[in-house]
Amino acid sequence: MVTTMAEGSISVNVGVLSSALAVAIQQAASSGQSQSPQVPANQSQHTSSQRGPSSARVILPSYLKRKRGSEGGSGQKKSKSKESTLQVWDRDIVCIPKKDGESPISFPRGKSRAKLASKGLMGKICLTSLMTENEMEMEVRSVFSRQMRSQEDFPFVFLQCTGAGSKSLTIPSKSATFTWTPQQVAKLGTNKNPIYILAQDELTLPDVEDSDLESGNDWEHAGKDGSRKSEETPPTSVSNTSKKPRPQSIKKTPKEESAHRSYDVYRSLIDLTQESPDDMSGSGTDDELPKVEFSLAPQRDLEERGVRKTNPIVSKHVVLQHQLRVLTGAADEEDRQRICVRRSHIVQDALCAFAKPSFHTSKMLKVTFIGEISVDDGGPRRELFSVLMRELFDKSGLFTGWPENAVPVHNVHALAENKFYITGKIVATSLVQGGPPPVCFSRAVADYIVFDEVRSSPDLQDIPDFEVRQNLEKMLTIVNVEELRSFTDEHLELRFECGYQKPTSSLQISDKEEILKTVWLHFVYFLPLAELQQLRKGLRETLQLEILMVQYPDDMHSFLATSIAFDVDGGDLLDWFVASYSERGSNKRKSEEAVYLMWSNYVMDCSDGDESGVSIGDILQFISGSRRLPAAGFPCIPSVHFTNEKILPKTSTCDVSITFPRSFDELPYEMFKKKMDMSVLDSAGFGGGP
């Protein structure tokens, strides 16, 4: 539903512009006056897509200016716009705890720097040229969230070197109107030297056996002139005692390595050899293994289940940076991977397309919905992935537990056809190419994909068998030993199949936790292990997503596991959209403001749960093609436009815009709501073909 301007219009505009410039220069030369040539306003503007009033667009990697070669009739090369390139900086960052009365601040060196690292005060950040000062601060706080107690407004300042060759830092003085830009912050560090920040409040730091950071002898204190003054103690005499040689590691074969890792994972998840929890503290080696902690009562609320509230702004820039690494031909319309799907068979067609060896996910997809009229400039691609993220996990038969606890179904036939690998491939492509994240996996599944181990607490809702779930819930309420033994013997015999071999006559009340953990791990981890491995392989191998899982595991986990961070409410929707109004005081402006008021009321009614059944996700998909915020964000600023045409509200999913007729200002709200419901609920597809 995107109208694109013909290429011929480009050459006419450029040709007319060149002629106008030539005539103006000749006239200026003949008259002996040095004045700038004037170009008509209607000839100086050019856009690749026209849909009513123009709106500001944020240039992203997938929307760089297209190559035009020698077209345009001018025979001149067009210089690349500075806005067409997204600049990205990877920097190390060090957070120095709050200091009183010490200026300038010294560089940490040696042991002192090691202590900072041990306290989690060293990390990495990613800056892009699109970031605002607030977004940069959120990126920094996300690195030190534990030390800053996850406070969104934790105060800190950027530090600056006192001069060339200096070994001290200072807090730069700023004017009242000064704001940091990404370029300025990136220049505070280099590829070899980190960016330093100074906390303005007390940090929450773990205890370290050595002395405090301020009193360490390795700190380089700066004198009044900024010169380096070391307070290191003189070296003591070294004894002749020889150091013990380090034990050499024995290289294992791949088979031995896999078996050893599987055993470690199993031991870290469950240990059935102990009769009593008191016996588990005897071995020092076992204490070092990661343990799965859980609560007895099933917790259904997302907040209570510990669902991480990730920061979509930070995650967006992580994905944008990765786009630059792995996508090719993003700016070339012809160098794209075409995919054709039928809306009624979208999962079948997508699995078939992605399974082909010739299908290149490193090229930006160009999506065609068969039987519908559309030009893919982003909207159809978002809609394809949005529909796939629902139907793959809900209707394909490959998963159970959607929408909050998706777990692979043990399916030998699907394994043989590599369907779980292809599903991982589709999810990875959606994340990188502007589609929405799935955010529907069980947290245990997301743990295994990202961390290669299960870290989450058992959740009964992960177990697909309703009867087993009910029996486990009843078991957790039992407080009598004899009743527990009788109940488990009658209703939970499957515990033996799950791996719990303790005899019924030996069961104690304290064994309830072990039984729950055993059955949960059986259904979530051990039973679908082959499917999990295939899914994980497809996700990590596609578009080098393994790099992000290593560098940004928390963000990747939030893309996969059940999360509320990428859901949209009415307030978010209204905050994102910018209205394009007519001149203030005009009759058009009055009509537009009246229509926008009804639009905002409609959005908030749907956010509160309207009786019509229209949700905020439905509205967002109607406008953008995606039911939730894409992992890479939207490529432009969502906008609201107005027209004199007497039509139903129409949208452009590529431009992420909606257009209302001004005549709607005469409608009562109930009629406006009825027309909006009709537009949203009947919006499947991009229009019928001939």
Side-chain angles (χ1 to χ4, degrees):
M1 294 175 60
V2 178
T3 306
T4 57
M5 184 180 290
E7 292 290 340
S9 63
I10 299 173
S11 60
V12 171
N13 285 345
V14 175
V16 172
L17 179 60
S18 301
S19 301
L21 286 171
V23 171
I25 292 172
Q26 289 177 1
Q27 291 176 352
S30 60
S31 61
Q33 299 175 355
S34 59
Q35 57 183 7
S36 302
Q38 299 295 323
V39 182
N42 60 349
Q43 295 177 7
S44 62
Q45 296 179 348
H46 165 67
T47 58
S48 60
S49 177
Q50 292 180 339
R51 292 192 59 82
S54 61
S55 61
R57 291 181 68 89
V58 180
I59 307 299
L60 298 184
S62 56
Y63 287 80
L64 304 180
K65 294 187 176 180
R66 300 173 182 174
K67 299 178 182 178
R68 308 195 189 280
S70 59
E71 296 179 4
S74 62
Q76 299 177 355
K77 281 188 175 181
K78 296 181 178 65
S79 61
K80 292 184 179 180
S81 170
K82 292 183 179 179
E83 294 182 354
S84 65
T85 304
L86 175 69
Q87 294 179 286
V88 180
W89 300 273
D90 288 326
R91 293 288 186 266
D92 294 327
I93 187 166
V94 176
C95 179
I96 297 177
K98 181 181 179 183
K99 294 178 177 292
D100 297 324
E102 187 175 337
S103 182
I105 301 165
S106 57
F107 279 90
R109 288 287 188 270
K111 292 182 180 179
S112 298
R113 185 157 179 167
K115 292 173 189 176
L116 289 178
S118 68
K119 293 175 181 290
L121 297 177
M122 296 180 65
K124 289 182 176 292
I125 61 173
C126 172
L127 304 174
T128 73
S129 54
L130 300 179
M131 281 184 166
T132 64
E133 185 175 32
N134 183 48
E135 291 175 351
M136 288 189 293
E137 291 176 353
M138 294 176 71
E139 167 84 349
V140 173
R141 293 188 184 104
S142 69
V143 177
F144 307 113
S145 59
R146 182 177 299 179
Q147 292 78 6
M148 295 181 177
R149 300 179 291 280
S150 300
Q151 293 183 9
E152 296 182 359
D153 57 347
F154 190 94
F156 68 89
V157 293
F158 291 106
L159 298 177
Q160 189 171 4
C161 186
T162 54
S166 174
K167 297 297 182 180
S168 59
L169 301 164
T170 186
I171 302 174
S173 300
K174 301 188 301 182
S175 66
T177 58
F178 176 84
T179 57
W180 287 101
T181 65
Q183 292 84 348
Q184 292 167 337
V185 174
K187 288 181 179 179
L188 295 177
T190 64
N191 291 333
K192 296 182 179 180
N193 299 320
I195 296 172
Y196 290 92
I197 64 170
L198 178 66
Q200 298 293 284
D201 200 353
E202 296 298 330
L203 297 168
T204 301
L205 301 175
D207 294 331
V208 177
E209 293 182 0
D210 293 331
S211 55
D212 294 336
L213 297 178
E214 289 83 353
S215 60
N217 290 331
D218 294 305
W219 284 84
E220 297 170 357
H221 295 280
K224 295 182 179 180
D225 57 350
S227 61
R228 174 182 176 181
K229 293 184 179 180
S230 176
E231 292 188 0
E232 295 182 358
T233 57
T236 57
S237 60
V238 182
S239 64
N240 295 327
T241 305
S242 59
K243 295 182 179 179
K244 294 182 180 180
R246 294 183 179 178
Q248 295 182 354
S249 59
I250 301 175
K251 188 175 182 181
K252 300 183 179 68
T253 65
K255 187 175 181 180
E256 291 173 337
E257 187 68 36
S258 176
H260 181 74
R261 187 175 65 223
S262 299
Y263 178 75
D264 284 346
V265 170
Y266 180 81
R267 285 296 306 276
S268 68
L269 297 176
I270 182 169
D271 188 348
L272 301 181
T273 62
Q274 303 296 333
E275 290 282 333
S276 167
D278 297 335
D279 298 334
M280 299 181 66
S281 60
S283 172
T285 56
D286 286 347
D287 289 342
E288 297 173 359
L289 293 173
K291 301 280 191 305
V292 177
E293 298 179 357
F294 58 93
S295 57
L296 293 179
Q299 299 173 341
R300 296 303 312 130
D301 186 79
L302 292 180
E303 299 281 354
E304 295 177 1
R305 288 169 56 198
V307 175
R308 177 178 180 268
K309 288 185 177 180
T310 188
N311 182 355
I313 296 176
V314 175
S315 302
K316 176 183 73 173
H317 290 289
V318 168
V319 177
L320 290 178
Q321 176 196 16
H322 195 66
Q323 279 185 351
L324 294 177
R325 291 195 193 113
V326 299
L327 291 185
T328 61
D332 192 347
E333 182 69 22
E334 298 180 358
D335 189 22
R336 298 204 174 188
Q337 176 63 59
R338 181 177 290 277
I339 177 173
C340 300
V341 295
R342 298 164 293 174
R343 191 174 288 273
S344 57
H345 299 78
I346 193 168
V347 172
Q348 175 186 342
D349 295 344
L351 288 173
C352 182
F354 275 81
K356 295 178 180 178
S358 58
F359 192 88
H360 299 290
T361 56
S362 60
K363 295 182 179 181
M364 190 67 73
L365 299 192
K366 187 171 185 178
V367 179
T368 298
F369 285 92
I370 296 175
E372 302 176 15
I373 301 174
S374 64
V375 177
D376 187 7
D377 199 16
R381 184 171 64 253
R382 276 193 300 274
E383 178 146 355
L384 169 68
F385 286 125
S386 181
V387 176
L388 284 175
M389 290 304 102
R390 289 171 60 89
E391 298 200 1
L392 264 175
F393 300 104
D394 184 28
K395 300 178 181 179
S396 67
L398 299 176
F399 296 86
T400 182
W402 185 88
E404 291 183 4
N405 301 81
V407 176
V409 172
H410 184 46
N411 189 327
V412 177
H413 183 68
L415 276 173
E417 294 184 347
N418 223 24
K419 285 188 176 180
F420 291 98
Y421 179 89
I422 301 170
T423 299
K425 192 175 179 180
I426 291 174
V427 171
T429 308
S430 176
L431 292 175
V432 177
Q433 292 207 18
V439 291
C440 66
F441 284 113
S442 159
R443 294 185 65 78
V445 172
D447 286 349
Y448 176 73
I449 292 174
V450 178
F451 305 116
D452 197 19
E453 63 180 358
V454 178
R455 299 182 178 181
S456 300
S457 303
D459 187 346
L460 287 176
Q461 299 303 318
D462 292 341
I463 300 175
D465 192 310
F466 175 75
E467 185 178 353
V468 173
R469 251 191 349 254
Q470 255 191 344
N471 289 333
L472 286 172
E473 288 177 355
K474 291 179 181 178
M475 181 200 70
L476 294 175
T477 62
I478 296 176
V479 294
N480 181 273
V481 174
E482 293 301 326
E483 185 181 352
L484 174 66
R485 294 173 180 175
S486 174
F487 183 85
T488 54
D489 194 39
E490 182 178 355
H491 299 286
L492 289 173
E493 286 188 358
L494 88 158
R495 71 186 188 278
F496 297 113
E497 299 176 14
C498 297
Y500 191 84
Q501 302 301 328
K502 192 171 184 179
T504 304
S505 58
S506 302
L507 291 180
Q508 302 295 329
I509 292 297
S510 59
D511 294 325
K512 291 191 299 182
E513 302 178 0
E514 203 71 40
I515 295 173
L516 170 63
K517 182 167 60 173
T518 305
V519 176
W520 175 73
L521 283 172
H522 171 77
F523 282 102
V524 174
Y525 182 76
F526 293 111
L527 180 63
L529 183 58
E531 289 79 6
L532 282 172
Q533 290 173 340
Q534 197 176 94
L535 175 69
R536 182 176 186 267
K537 185 178 180 182
L539 256 165
R540 296 175 77 97
E541 289 183 354
T542 303
L543 294 172
Q544 303 176 34
L545 212 65
E546 187 167 10
I547 295 176
L548 293 187
M549 292 190 181
V550 172
Q551 294 181 344
Y552 306 98
D554 288 341
D555 292 288
M556 295 307 301
H557 193 276
S558 69
F559 289 148
L560 303 177
T562 301
S563 173
I564 58 177
F566 293 89
D567 291 339
V568 181
D569 59 25
D572 295 329
L573 200 66
L574 294 176
D575 289 341
W576 292 344
F577 279 77
V578 176
S580 181
Y581 293 116
S582 299
E583 184 179 354
R584 188 178 296 275
S586 62
N587 291 332
K588 288 183 178 180
R589 178 64 175 260
K590 294 179 181 177
S591 299
E592 292 164 359
E593 290 180 350
V595 173
Y596 190 88
L597 176 61
M598 287 190 285
W599 153 250
S600 61
N601 290 336
Y602 177 77
V603 168
M604 296 310 298
D605 286 347
C606 293
S607 181
D608 295 335
D610 191 74
E611 60 184 10
S612 66
V614 177
S615 66
I616 295 298
D618 295 328
I619 298 175
L620 189 61
Q621 183 160 14
F622 172 54
I623 301 174
S624 70
S626 176
R627 294 186 62 85
R628 57 168 55 97
L629 181 67
F634 290 117
C636 56
I637 299 176
S639 55
V640 178
H641 301 303
F642 304 93
T643 179
N644 288 327
E645 299 180 40
K646 295 186 177 181
I647 55 173
L648 286 174
K650 63 179 181 179
T651 64
S652 169
T653 57
C654 298
D655 291 336
V656 195
S657 65
I658 183 169
T659 302
F660 294 103
R662 294 185 180 91
S663 58
F664 270 25
D665 68 329
E666 301 173 357
L667 298 177
Y669 175 70
E670 289 302 321
M671 183 60 67
F672 175 90
K673 181 177 176 299
K674 184 177 180 180
K675 289 183 179 292
M676 279 299 304
D677 290 343
M678 186 187 308
S679 300
V680 174
L681 296 176
D682 297 339
S683 64
F686 293 95

